[in-house]
Structures are given as C-alpha cells and as structure tokens.
Amino acid sequence: MLELQDIHTYYGNIQALRGISLEINQGEIITLIGANGAGKSTTLMTISGITPPRTGRIRFEGRQIQGMSPDRIVTMGIGQVPEGRRIFPQLSVQENLDLGAFPRADKAAIRQDLEYVFHLFPILSERRHQAGGTLSGGEQQMLAMSRALMARPKLLLLDEPSMGLAPLIIRQIFEIVEQINREQNTTIFLVEQNANLALQIAHRGYVIENGRIALTDSAANLLRNEAVQKAYLGI
Ligand code: ATP
C-alpha cells in the first residue's frame, strides 16, 4: 500500500532522514519505534507532505505522492494525527470534526462516520458543543483521531498518541486503534516512544536510529529481541 524508497529529508542543512526504506501492506498495523530525535515524526511528516523529502520515492497504492501538497495527500486517503494533537482549541468538538471531513461531499456517509466516531468515543458526543481547548488531554487525543477519521483515511498515521496521557487512557486509546483497524479495515502506521504497548498491537515494526532503519521484524520477534528489550523496552 505504501512504499518509501531511500528517503532523505532535511530541515535546512540538518539531515533528519538518511535513506529510509520501508513498506506497509493494506490492513496492517505497523509501528515505528526509536529514541528522541531519531526521525520518527519526520518520517510521518515526510509521508504526509508537510516536510517533503529531498530525494527518494514514496508510492501510495502504486502512485508516486512525493511532491504532492499535504491536502492532496489527505484526499488520496492518508490521514495524520500529529504529535501534540493540534486540534483547533477555539472551535467546538463538532466544528473540529466538520473540518476533518473537508475533502468530502458525500453528506450521508459523513453523517454515518460522525455516528461511528461518537460510537468509538461517546464522551465526544456529550462534549460536542464544548470548545476543543477545554477538553482533557485524553479527550483531545480522541478528538484528533476522530477528526482524522472524518476524512475516511485508508492509511492513518498516528504520532505518539500516548504522549502525556495516564496509563488507563493510553490503554483505551490503543484498544480503539486496534478496533479501527479491525472494523474499518484502516491501515495504521503508529509512531511511539512507548514501544512496549505499540509492539503489543502491531503486526510488524521498524526500529529507527539516527534517521536510518536499524531493524525490522514481526512485532512478536521485536518484543523478544534482546537489543530491542535493552534499548526500548526497559528490560
Ligand atoms: P521525538 O520522539 O523526540 O519526537 P523523533 O524521533 O520524532 O523524536 P524528529 O522530530 O523526527 O524525531 O526529529 C529528527 C531530527 O530532526 C532531530 O535531530 C531534530 O532535532 C531535527 N528536527 C526536527 N524538526 C526540526 C525542525 N523544524 N528544524 C530543524 N531540525 C528539526
């Protein structure tokens, strides 16, 4: 479904990605784990067109997408939930969700998807007229995920959904990531510092170090890998 080939991404003179290659198959949950500054967020932002690569190729469903604008990439079926949620704090929950559906015109299906996100996160339905900025951190994460789902993505990019949240809420969010994958057949690319949890729901994983893929394997094998355990799982 998605293929990155030898991707190099820079911020001015600073090189963040140094030849990333990876692939994601339709229906998979794939996680990208790595230390602070390894290049995880940059990988997601490179795919979504926010920080385009300087060299390399990105193919999504057989079409090259590097160089396309971020809104065009959303229209192609790639949704992103950015690090730190980035909801619109002054707008209501409902207005945030309406904005998520911007690429679409199919009103009946949009209404159905609204019902679906309220089914996933009933609290958002209760808070639909409340300003996004007044929600708790966990609720803002739910809103950010729901806003992305309102565009009906085929591939959902999730950047550190667990950041700053209490363990119970994190567990709930991860269960819902699995549920979205199962019920909507949405392919998931999950970036996480909480490698342990991420590997528990993922099918496969990639380990990124200094802008390069250091290792890739099934999630089960990565959980058993001693180097991974030492570096990322605190074992
Ligand atoms: P974290 O887990 O801390 O969010 P990360 O793995 O997501 O880290 P990135 O945010 O992708 O890492 O950063 C990769 C590298 O690019 C780092 O060295 C970082 O300092 C650098 N970088 C990221 N954003 C910028 C920017 N806007 N300008 C300059 N350098 C940047």
Side-chain angles (χ1 to χ4, degrees), residues 100-140:
F102 82 89
R104 307 171 59 186
D106 45 346
K107 286 221 166 80
I110 291 173
R111 253 197 310 278
Q112 260 181 17
D113 288 341
L114 191 63
E115 292 301 314
Y116 182 69
V117 300
F118 286 155
H119 155 75
L120 288 177
F121 303 113
I123 187 83
L124 293 183
S125 173
E126 287 170 32
R127 304 286 156 92
R128 66 204 288 172
H129 302 300
Q130 189 171 320
T134 64
L135 297 176
S136 71
E139 290 161 359
Q140 290 192 21

Side-chain angles (χ1 to χ4, degrees), residues 11 14 16 34-43 83 159-160 163 191 193:
Y11 295 99
I14 298 169
N36 279 325
K40 302 183 298 297
S41 297
T42 305
T43 302
E83 189 174 332
D159 198 345
E160 305 230 8
M163 189 188 268
V191 154
Q193 290 235 18

